[in-house]
Amino acid sequence: MPAFNTLDDLSADSRVLVRLDLNSPIEDGTPQDNRRFERHAETVRELAEAGHRVVLLAHQGRPGRDDFTSLGGHAEILADRVGRDVGFVADTYGDEALEAIDALDAGEILLLENTRMCDDELPEASPEEKAETEFVRTLAPLFDAYVNDAYSAAHRKHASLVGFPLVLPAYAGRVMETEYEANTAIATREFDGPVTMVVGGTKATDVIGVMDALDDRVDRFLLGGVAGELFLRAAGHPVGRDVGEMDLFDEQWERNRELIESVLDERGDAIRLASDLAYEGPDGERAEVPVDDIGEKETGYLDVGATTVADYEPAIRESDAVFVKGALGVFEDERFADGTVGVLDAIAETNCFSVVGGGDTSRAIEMYGLSEANFSHVSIAGGAYIRALTGEPLPAVETLEAAAERRRD
Ligand code: 3PG
């Protein structure tokens, strides 16, 4: 178990500063409701119902990008999910924010403006340096406690993530606790039977790094998506190349070629590759082709085929634990969802310990009406999940642990 304090350790009637991760897809300037709101709502509701004064920090997008917006819309969605009012102030630590914080009553909730609109937030620096910023020095004295619930942003050394826990008693929120436990399970838990990892998605570079790092923890890898095609390419099939407008394969191939070849060489027995692939037929229908029949890549493949799914299912049924990182096809298009949904269905039918990670893959669960209850954990983390899988430290988690240590001393 992690060595951090949790909400169970929080003193009554506290003024609590809570860091959430509400970073969401933005469409026409509006945040799209997603699992992050629902999950964080539990932490926020628990704090408000306990009578704490609850002030929330969160970020959205990155400066210069289209998704870099105010959090006004986020406050509305969150209020809906929490079932209580969530006030919003378009300021983070200026006079307006300070007045709104001061006016808060027990059980009330206030969301401050996008932390990344503050100059002090972003440049990555040590907790000590971040604790010295005006942002942290202005807000911290107004609170009794800091709660970090933003596991999915814990790989960032930003002021709101590592600065406050240095100067305030610090606690993990409920999302932080459950994400931490599930996402580190692959590295920390002992399983009696085989451990399987489903590897796909478009960010092949990330997942190939995960495969390499988890080499001795995983008994078999079931591949699809871009990484799957790149491994097929390494195995001598003429796929995993860019065709037409595509630019998904060649660059990632060049970058990872040596690693792919060495992983294949050393763990070939543990790696299952697709035996057939799906593509868009001449009339727009789904068509499939055995990999052995592909003479030259002329089309983009968009999913693994039915034979591959049938091949992967028994491996999942025999597993004691299954971790999913990345979709096996372009599931957003119903015609190419069979691979991803087939594998998720197989996992849902077993009693094995299962973690589905990465925002994209977990979206398939919603889209195709699978029940989240059939998985041990559906993660809301992207980059942090990858780092947890590769055993890289998460600075914001380390800072929480250090804060707990200081309190014990
Ligand atoms: C995420 O959405 O994965 C986190 O909020 C981190 O966002 P970032 O990659 O912009 O730091």
Side-chain angles (χ1 to χ4, degrees), residues 158-302:
H158 297 159
S160 63
L161 293 156
V162 298
F164 291 103
L166 211 70
V167 293
L168 281 170
Y171 306 83
R174 298 302 181 205
V175 174
M176 172 65 79
E177 267 189 89
T178 50
E179 286 277 334
Y180 177 92
E181 200 179 324
N183 297 342
T184 51
I186 199 162
T188 55
R189 254 174 87 151
E190 289 304 326
F191 296 101
D192 296 333
V195 174
T196 296
M197 181 156 214
V198 178
V199 178
T202 53
K203 292 181 186 157
T205 301
D206 281 353
V207 296
I208 292 162
V210 168
M211 288 174 72
D212 185 40
L214 288 177
D215 195 27
D216 58 338
R217 306 286 308 176
V218 174
D219 299 295
R220 54 195 161 214
F221 295 98
L222 310 180
L223 269 79
V226 174
E229 272 199 59
L230 294 180
F231 271 81
L232 282 169
R233 179 170 174 173
H237 295 279
V239 297
R241 298 163 197 277
D242 291 331
V243 287
E245 305 276 278
M246 242 177 206
D247 59 356
L248 269 176
F249 296 97
D250 292 337
E251 186 268 332
Q252 299 202 81
W253 168 256
E254 289 312 326
R255 195 144 34 123
N256 299 290
R257 179 185 185 150
E258 268 175 44
L259 188 55
I260 294 172
E261 286 172 348
S262 86
V263 170
L264 198 56
D265 197 36
E266 281 162 32
R267 291 302 310 276
D269 56 330
I271 293 175
R272 304 266 185 95
L273 300 177
S275 55
D276 57 350
L277 293 170
Y279 60 98
E280 185 174 46
D283 298 319
E285 79 288 8
R286 176 185 173 106
E288 298 190 354
V289 57
V291 169
D292 286 338
D293 292 355
I294 300 172
E296 194 184 330
K297 184 173 181 183
E298 286 163 347
T299 178
Y301 296 108
L302 300 166

Side-chain angles (χ1 to χ4, degrees), residues 21-24 36 59 61-62 65 116 152-153 155-156 158 380-384:
D21 184 359
L22 300 177
N23 198 26
S24 302
R36 286 185 173 172
H59 73 274
R62 297 180 192 174
R65 293 203 184 166
R116 292 187 178 176
S152 47
H155 50 308
R156 306 291 182 212
H158 297 159
I380 54 171

Side-chain angles (χ1 to χ4, degrees), residues 350-395:
T350 68
N351 286 326
C352 70
F353 178 81
S354 57
V355 179
V356 180
D360 287 349
T361 324
S362 47
R363 209 147 31 95
I365 293 178
E366 252 158 47
M367 260 184 91
Y368 293 98
L370 284 95
S371 166
E372 223 180 286
N374 288 330
F375 303 90
S376 310
H377 183 67
V378 177
S379 176
I380 54 171
Y385 180 58
I386 292 278
R387 283 173 179 77
L389 292 177
T390 55
E392 262 183 69
L394 298 174

